[in-house]
């Protein structure tokens, strides 16, 4: 009789469930109110320039932090190919743009991030709209949320 394999019996040895584990996406819950929300980020898919700028900066920050903490081949390649474009896009979005210009930036962002940004892949699935009226960011909001735009009115 062959000896039982340690690999096949490992879950039972440690009392673990035999179900496959699923990896959670590394995203923080969003604050935007409204009915149109995307799946992973729980933020509205309707975005204005401020929200688009914040989402692109969030990708940049996430990529740099993940590469610094536990970089692998994909994050290093993404840093070489994507970081420069993300920084340029953030600088471009600091000045007012037309909706057509914002749609061009969003389309380029969607295409450029697709091979690298697997967590929160639907963060770039956005519909560009005109400026969304928002509450004024209080000092408390800025301390807790940084440069994230406040939720719509």
């Amino acid at each position: 009789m062959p000896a039982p394999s340690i690999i096949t019996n490992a879950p039972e040895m440690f009392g673990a469930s035999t179900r496959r584990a699923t990896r959670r996406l590394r995203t923080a819950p969003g604050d935007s109110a409204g009915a149109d929300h995307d799946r992973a980020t729980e933020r509205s898919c309707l975005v204005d320039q401020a929200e688009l700028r914040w989402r692109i900066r969030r990708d940049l920050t996430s990529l740099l932090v993940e590469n610094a903490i536990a970089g692998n081949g994909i994050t290093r390649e993404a840093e070489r190919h994507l970081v420069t474009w993300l920084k340029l896009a953030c600088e471009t979005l600091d000045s007012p743009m037309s909706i057509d210009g914002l749609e061009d930036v969003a389309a380029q962002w969607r295409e450029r991030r697709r091979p690298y940004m697997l967590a929160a892949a639907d963060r770039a699935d956005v519909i560009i709209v005109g400026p969304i009226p928002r509450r004024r960011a209080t000092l408390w909001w800025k301390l807790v949320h940084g440069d994230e735009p406040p939720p719509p009115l």
Side-chain angles (χ1 to χ4, degrees), residues 49-136:
Q49 184 169 346
E51 178 75 15
L52 181 63
R53 179 178 53 235
W54 180 78
R55 287 184 186 209
I56 291 176
R57 282 189 179 143
R58 177 119 182 217
D59 267 3
L60 176 62
T61 303
S62 299
L63 181 60
L64 292 173
V65 168
E66 187 163 338
N67 196 33
I69 292 174
N72 59 26
I74 293 173
T75 59
R76 288 189 186 101
E77 184 179 340
E79 187 171 24
R80 283 194 301 274
H81 295 103
L82 190 59
V83 167
T84 306
W85 186 88
L86 291 172
K87 288 179 180 178
L88 182 63
C90 289
E91 290 174 12
T92 303
L93 289 169
D94 284 339
S95 59
M97 295 181 68
S98 67
I99 291 181
D100 290 336
L102 294 174
E103 287 174 347
D104 288 342
V105 170
Q108 288 181 32
W109 175 47
R110 206 173 292 117
E111 288 302 314
R112 290 176 183 262
R113 81 188 295 272
R114 183 169 292 137
Y116 308 111
M117 306 296 281
L118 303 177
D122 58 345
R123 185 182 292 161
D125 295 336
V126 297
I127 300 169
I128 305 295
V129 296
I132 298 173
R134 300 181 184 277
R135 296 182 186 104
R136 184 173 168 265

Side-chain angles (χ1 to χ4, degrees), residues 3-26:
S5 172
I6 294 174
I7 295 172
T8 58
N9 293 336
E12 290 81 12
M13 285 178 28
F14 298 105
S17 171
T18 57
R19 289 182 290 155
R20 291 184 352 189
T22 57
R23 182 177 172 209
R24 296 190 70 181
L25 296 175
R26 294 185 220 180

